[in-house]
Amino acid sequence: MTTDTLTLARYHLLTPAGLDEDDLHRMLACLLGHAIDAGDVYFQQRRTESWSLEDRHVKNASRAIQQGAGVRAISGEKTGFAYSDELVMPALLEAATAARAIAQQGGEGQFQVWQTAPRVPLYEPLDPLDTLTAEAKVQLLEKLDAEARQQDPRVTQVMVSLAAVQDTILIAGSDGTLAGDVRPLVRVNVSVIVEQEGRREQGGSGGGGRVGYGWFLDEDRALGYAREAVRLALINLEAVPAPAGTMTVVLGPGWPGILLHEAIGHGLEGDFNRKGTSAFTGRIGERVASPLCTVVDDGTLAHRRGSLNIDDEGTPTQCTTLIERGILKGYLQDKLNARLMNTAPTGNGRRESYAHLPLPRMTNTYMMPGEHDPAEVIASVERGLYAVNFGGGQVDITSGKFVFSASEAYLIENGRVTRPVKGATLIGNGPDVLTKVSMVGNDLKLDAGVGTCGKDGQSVPVGVGQPTLKIEALTVGGTQA
Amino acid sequence: MPAITTRPTAPLPPREQLENLVAGILAEARAQGATATEAAVSFGSALSVTVRLGEVETLEHHRQRGLGVTVYIGQSRGSASTADWRPEAIRDTVQSACAIARHTAKDSCAGLADPERLAKDIPDLDLYHPWPLAAEDAIALARVCEAAALALDPRIRNSEGGSIATHTGLVLYGNSQGFCGGYPATHHSLSCSVIAGDEAGMQRNHWYTVARDWNDLETPVAVGQKAGQRALRRLGSRRLTTRQVPVLFAPELARGLIGHFVGAIRGGALYRKSSFLLDRLGTLVFPDFVTIRERPHWPKALGSAPFDNEGVATADRDLVAGGVLQGYVLDSYSARRLGMETTGNAGGTHNLIVEPGPLDHEALLRQLDRGLWVTELMGHGINLVTGDYSRGASGFWVENGQIQYPVHEITIAGNLNTLFKGIVAVGSDVDVRGGIRCGSLLLERMTVAGE
């Protein structure tokens, strides 16, 4: 696979608008002509579609195209930003003029010659929207509906959705960055309602990645989501009220890695640490986890939802060690915060779209496997909670308090998993929750490709993962005091 | 120092231009074989500024266009959208929507709103108050706001900044039954977020004000001081042991509880039978002193709208009277699914007013006596199918009606069905910063999980 994504991006973004590299120079010159340290222009075209099924039929679908360019000018810690959804030179120069107004003085911005850094692509620059015909998309959704319904007669409602995005981006920066990427992303979700003796419960499952729709058909992958959604809903029918209080919690592998995203990841983003607003500020080199814990953020995993060839500032993504055997090692950086902290960017500068400013963000965040058989981990707990599926989470990076909500959990009694319990929110303190990790399983698993992270009103796709983990004390927010 | 000179927010395009766009979309759809069509065209422009520790951090100019179309070919439906207003883009967008409609299944409930429900007269609700705010003035106001927080106490050690944003927009909706309506609206906000610190750690908090008319905003100094006070009062937060106690929700969080109620009586949740409030019309959902009114035509209010997202006229009504559920929140589609009439709520509710009770905050604390006053919530642990509710919380422990100390790293849990019925009092301290206006809510009992 050697398709040059920069060439593709040029072809899709610049050529139709009649723009070339001289125009990029003119835009950057316009930005820099006003005592600005650095500036960049981000061109983007986003094509999306979604199809949804309910009552056994596909009744709704939509397509959308968004395109535009965001222009950023940086002077010290100040950022000026403007964008245009018209890719024509006068509108782009107007945006550059608005963005550069941030600078009042100072700045020695100099334009560098273009540097492009080719890399082996992590995903094909395909258009996922066209990887199945409309008839085949409808058929796939109907097949998932049938699969869910045939699992159990208690299934009363099935809702299935299928969505794809193709993002084509091109970044030109005053530091000489000239980079492009074509990013496919697909997603399928199945959610069901089951009913038994008047009690209703829901279950949901899904997955996706930077691939074409064909991936869902491989090994009946998508049928698996339908079965999993029903399994979860049926378990919820049996669930008893969750316990309340602080107890030993065993987290299953994969998606429960949302723990790492909330408790650790956000607090290590460069902007919060430069500003000194994170509970992890100034703690590099300190112990923040048990020696069993090594946590990384890795944007280079092939075809993963959280992966990127380059970040939204043109920096190649990498695998950054956040915690190594319990010691805090590093932060996640974009260019602005890396420069202000005298360090290198880590390929974590991400933005929701051309209409948003880049921020340090996670990619795929996960914990390395340990030595224990997961069965041993559960067997070691006399009384506790075993939580294997979660909904969303949230963190206050300043106080370090974080939550994440279990959607499938069981009691552990005398070393055995017993009754399912209702969903409950778990709460802890980021800087010390991993110091309470006493066992790490050998079963590292990444999530199925469903995560979306929100920060400052911007959403970006991310991944998480972990092996089975035993946390000696975590607060479980059930109703049974 | 040379001034920062930039344009204010971009001017709105002339209304005729948007009307012509809508007409062009409808004509294109008809030409491409659609039997019915609805279209919306929008333009928005904003300026936002953040000042941190006295220095400008970001200055952003936003200018966004949108165009969306839904076509019906018989009883099949397809939608598409774009930000591109050129005729060729409109043609392609309509073509995408029609292509989809040729693959989606027939749905006897699909279609435009009933013509007799479309708004005939469109009242001026006084929603448009552009703020001629130059960037340097925005910076100065944000700076004053943040400075007021920083000056409050030496323990306010850090800041995420003072921010100001002003937004102007125009949306036009039209359909092939001849309806075309739209109106300009503005939205301005001022906010501040600061960090207080002591030997025990850091606590962050914020405050904001938002209004259609910038003259109705709280002053920058008031916003900064409230943000500072709210951060300071969290210092020294402790945990609680696990217990079951009465809980007082601050007004800005009480709004969220009412929001969950609305989520459970929305047409989509009802016809999918995925709500804990199924078949509850005409029954007691709240105690008899709770009344919730919808008032879509209040001048200047944040949730006001003369018509909904399908052009259906909005009207005053009581959603809950004497604790009894009087109606649902329906658009045309969900109404047809339920065999009912639309309630003019395509796109959501328009100013829900929970009738305030007689007690102010102090009196509510006295009535709470011994329990938890919740001032912040975290996470998404709300299940609208079952009503199960479990969220992270912070706030204050109260004994003898007096605040004792701040608490954090706890959860509160219960079931919304029981929690709604267990409302003991609605406060007079109404928070007006949103489409749901509610005072504090005192709940009889929740499980608090902690140490």
Side-chain angles (χ1 to χ4, degrees):
Chain A
M1 252 299 309
T2 53
T3 315
D4 177 0
T5 51
L6 176 57
T7 307
L8 278 173
R10 255 196 211 110
Y11 176 74
H12 284 295
L13 294 167
L14 301 186
T15 311
L19 300 172
D20 59 20
E21 280 171 25
D22 286 344
D23 295 315
L24 299 182
H25 275 276
R26 277 171 61 209
M27 262 177 260
L28 291 171
C30 170
L31 265 181
L32 291 182
H34 202 75
I36 290 285
D37 297 330
D40 59 13
V41 187
Y42 180 90
F43 292 87
Q44 181 187 32
Q45 184 192 67
R46 172 172 292 168
R47 302 175 61 243
T48 58
E49 71 166 8
S50 71
W51 295 75
S52 59
L53 172 148
E54 62 178 33
D55 304 319
R56 301 173 194 262
H57 294 294
V58 175
K59 295 176 181 176
N60 263 320
S62 62
R63 278 205 175 205
I65 299 180
Q66 271 181 290
Q67 72 173 28
V71 184
R72 173 170 68 145
I74 296 173
S75 171
E77 297 188 26
K78 302 183 183 69
T79 300
F81 179 61
Y83 57 85
S84 167
D85 51 21
E86 290 173 278
L87 297 184
V88 294
M89 223 31 205
L92 294 168
L93 291 175
E94 191 193 334
T97 307
R100 76 183 188 192
I102 191 73
Q104 297 168 23
Q105 68 266 314
E108 286 288 317
Q110 275 195 335
F111 183 73
Q112 310 288 316
V113 291
W114 297 132
Q115 304 149 4
T116 57
R119 66 177 296 169
V120 179
L122 303 170
Y123 36 83
E124 290 175 50
L126 50 81
D127 177 1
L129 284 71
D130 290 339
T131 53
L132 279 185
T133 61
E135 291 81 5
K137 289 168 197 168
V138 170
Q139 269 172 20
L140 173 61
L141 292 176
E142 288 173 349
K143 209 171 148 190
L144 298 185
D145 174 66
E147 183 71 12
R149 288 180 190 276
Q150 77 175 46
Q151 297 300 303
D152 197 286
R154 289 170 288 178
V155 173
T156 56
Q157 296 279 330
V158 179
M159 286 147 282
V160 191
S161 66
L162 169 128
V165 185
Q166 185 200 37
D167 256 325
T168 305
I169 62 156
L170 185 140
I171 304 143
S174 61
D175 61 357
T177 299
L178 180 62
D181 199 5
V182 179
R183 302 165 173 172
L185 188 64
V186 295
R187 166 95 195 250
V188 160
N189 201 67
V190 182
S191 95
V192 304
I193 304 278
V194 295
E195 199 176 328
Q196 174 179 290
E197 290 158 15
R199 178 169 173 180
R200 284 188 193 82
E201 293 284 351
Q202 64 183 341
S205 178
R210 299 201 178 277
V211 291
Y213 283 134
W215 186 77
F216 293 116
L217 308 175
D218 296 345
E219 299 160 17
D220 285 346
R221 190 175 266 120
L223 289 179
Y225 305 147
R227 294 178 203 126
E228 175 68 1
V230 175
R231 186 188 69 81
L232 285 168
L234 294 178
I235 284 170
N236 285 331
L237 277 181
E238 310 298 322
V240 298
T246 300
M247 62 197 71
T248 302
V249 174
V250 175
L251 298 175
W255 183 237
I258 189 172
L259 162 82
L260 306 171
H261 179 99
E262 303 298 353
I264 306 293
H266 278 299
L268 299 182
E269 289 167 339
D271 48 352
F272 301 131
N273 288 283
R274 168 179 60 89
K275 297 174 189 172
T277 59
S278 164
F280 287 98
T281 299
R283 298 194 60 187
I284 295 270
E286 288 182 24
R287 173 164 298 286
V288 296
S290 97
L292 301 170
C293 299
T294 294
V295 180
V296 301
D297 183 83
D298 188 352
T300 72
L301 304 172
H303 306 303
R304 301 294 312 183
R305 181 174 165 89
S307 296
L308 299 170
N309 288 318
I310 50 170
D311 72 4
D312 294 320
E313 298 181 302
T315 308
T317 52
Q318 63 182 51
C319 180
T320 305
T321 302
L322 302 176
I323 294 172
E324 188 172 16
R325 292 189 208 92
I327 306 297
L328 185 60
K329 285 290 175 184
Y331 298 132
L332 299 171
Q333 298 288 6
D334 62 354
K335 285 183 180 174
L336 170 69
N337 290 288
R339 180 169 59 78
L340 294 171
M341 291 178 83
N342 286 315
T343 179
T346 55
N348 290 89
R350 303 185 63 183
R351 60 202 296 174
E352 180 178 304
S353 79
Y354 69 88
H356 300 85
L357 276 170
L359 296 170
R361 303 293 293 264
M362 284 171 265
T363 58
N364 303 294
T365 312
Y366 58 95
M367 184 183 288
M368 295 301 186
E371 293 175 350
H372 287 282
D373 187 307
E376 270 181 89
V377 180
I378 289 164
S380 73
V381 178
E382 197 165 310
R383 183 184 170 272
L385 189 80
Y386 178 49
V388 285
N389 262 301
F390 283 85
Q394 193 182 334
V395 61
D396 174 341
I397 50 111
T398 300
S399 69
K401 307 304 176 226
F402 70 94
V403 294
F404 57 141
S405 299
S407 55
E408 180 189 4
Y410 304 84
L411 296 176
I412 307 178
E413 293 164 305
N414 300 318
R416 290 180 46 209
V417 174
T418 59
R419 286 168 297 171
V421 296
K422 280 175 172 284
T425 289
L426 277 56
I427 190 162
N429 184 36
D432 67 30
V433 66
L434 291 189
T435 62
K436 297 174 185 165
V437 170
S438 58
M439 291 173 100
V440 177
N442 55 15
D443 55 343
L444 168 63
K445 199 174 126 188
L446 298 176
D447 75 281
V450 294
T452 296
C453 168
K455 173 176 172 180
D456 283 4
Q458 294 194 42
S459 295
V460 296
V462 295
V464 297
Q466 66 176 33
T468 295
L469 284 189
K470 178 180 171 186
I471 300 170
E472 288 298 328
L474 198 57
T475 302
V476 177
T479 50
Q480 294 304 100
Chain B
M1 197 170 71
I4 294 179
T5 50
T6 64
R7 53 186 184 163
T9 56
L12 292 177
R15 186 189 167 95
E16 301 75 54
Q17 187 191 348
L18 270 61
E19 281 174 354
N20 290 338
L21 275 168
V22 169
I25 299 166
L26 298 176
E28 180 66 37
R30 197 163 50 239
Q32 292 195 28
T35 51
T37 308
E38 51 193 330
V41 176
S42 63
F43 176 89
S45 159
L47 171 72
S48 69
V49 166
T50 298
V51 169
R52 178 172 175 267
L53 300 176
E55 296 288 335
V56 180
E57 185 168 69
T58 57
L59 170 59
E60 302 185 39
H61 295 272
H62 300 264
R63 181 165 166 268
Q64 218 132 27
R65 300 181 306 176
L67 179 164
V69 58
T70 295
V71 300
Y72 299 85
I73 300 179
Q75 303 269 257
S76 296
R77 167 168 53 183
S79 303
S81 65
T82 177
D84 192 341
W85 285 359
R86 289 174 304 174
E88 58 268 37
I90 290 175
R91 196 181 57 230
D92 292 350
T93 305
V94 169
Q95 202 166 13
S96 285
C98 290
I100 288 169
R102 294 194 176 94
H103 287 99
T104 48
K106 281 189 186 137
D107 184 344
S108 59
C109 296
L112 303 175
D114 298 334
E116 61 272 22
R117 298 293 306 273
L118 296 173
K120 305 288 183 299
D121 308 303
I122 296 174
D124 178 358
L125 301 179
D126 201 14
L127 307 178
Y128 183 61
H129 298 270
W131 193 355
L133 181 69
E136 55 263 63
D137 296 328
I139 291 165
L141 289 174
R143 195 176 270 140
V144 167
C145 177
E146 189 202 34
L150 294 174
L152 207 59
D153 191 293
R155 290 172 299 166
I156 306 236
R157 291 179 178 174
N158 205 339
S159 169
E160 294 189 316
S163 297
I164 196 158
T166 169
H167 178 271
T168 306
L170 172 59
V171 184
L172 235 74
Y173 169 87
N175 66 27
S176 54
Q177 293 168 335
F179 181 88
C180 186
Y183 48 92
T186 51
H187 194 270
H188 316 287
S189 66
L190 178 62
S191 63
C192 184
S193 174
V194 290
I195 291 164
D198 62 11
E199 47 301 323
M202 298 190 291
Q203 295 286 356
R204 169 178 64 162
N205 217 327
H206 73 284
W207 190 250
Y208 71 96
T209 173
V210 54
R212 297 280 188 190
D213 181 347
W214 54 279
N215 291 301
D216 297 337
L217 293 173
E218 291 179 46
T219 68
V221 169
V223 171
Q225 286 182 342
K226 276 189 202 169
Q229 286 154 0
R230 286 164 60 86
L232 284 168
R233 73 187 189 186
R234 286 184 68 183
L235 286 175
S237 283
R238 308 182 206 169
R239 302 194 65 197
L240 287 173
T241 54
T242 301
R243 58 189 72 183
Q244 291 195 327
V245 289
V247 175
L248 178 64
F249 276 66
E252 58 270 26
L253 306 180
R255 169 188 297 130
L257 279 180
I258 301 302
H260 304 324
F261 159 69
V262 174
I265 56 162
R266 245 180 234 287
L270 296 171
Y271 80 71
R272 294 185 186 103
K273 300 207 186 314
S274 55
S275 163
F276 69 95
L277 291 178
L278 282 186
D279 306 322
R280 296 287 296 278
L281 210 55
T283 69
L284 219 56
V285 170
F286 294 98
D288 61 8
F289 57 84
V290 173
T291 290
I292 304 178
R293 308 179 198 282
E294 185 171 24
R295 292 288 179 267
H297 297 171
W298 271 11
K300 283 187 170 182
L302 290 164
S304 290
F307 56 87
D308 74 359
N309 289 2
E310 302 178 297
V312 171
T314 50
D316 287 0
R317 64 164 171 158
D318 290 355
L319 203 52
V320 173
V324 174
L325 183 61
Q326 305 290 320
Y328 293 141
V329 174
L330 308 176
D331 57 11
S332 297
Y333 180 77
S334 59
R336 288 177 196 138
R337 291 294 306 266
L338 294 164
M340 303 176 90
E341 291 272 313
T342 177
T343 56
N345 292 113
T349 57
H350 305 105
N351 297 320
L352 288 190
I353 321 295
V354 181
E355 193 169 272
L359 303 182
D360 65 7
H361 176 63
E362 296 302 318
L364 286 166
L365 284 178
R366 280 195 296 277
Q367 188 169 350
L368 170 66
D369 186 39
R370 180 177 180 279
L372 181 67
W373 173 33
V374 180
T375 55
E376 274 186 78
L377 288 169
M378 286 176 81
H380 319 279
I382 303 127
N383 182 339
L384 288 184
V385 176
T386 58
D388 291 327
Y389 182 98
S390 165
R391 301 182 76 186
S394 56
F396 298 85
W397 180 246
V398 175
E399 283 193 30
N400 302 319
Q402 303 285 316
I403 292 169
Q404 302 297 307
Y405 48 83
V407 295
H408 66 178
E409 205 182 330
I410 53 173
T411 60
I412 54 172
N415 185 282
L416 289 170
N417 237 325
T418 346
L419 295 176
F420 288 157
K421 283 193 179 147
I423 291 175
V424 177
V426 182
S428 61
D429 50 350
V430 178
D431 182 5
V432 301
R433 300 171 301 172
I436 297 176
R437 298 187 177 204
C438 188
S440 297
L441 287 175
L442 177 55
L443 308 188
E444 193 175 21
R445 184 162 296 266
M446 291 186 84
T447 303
V448 174
E451 287 178 306

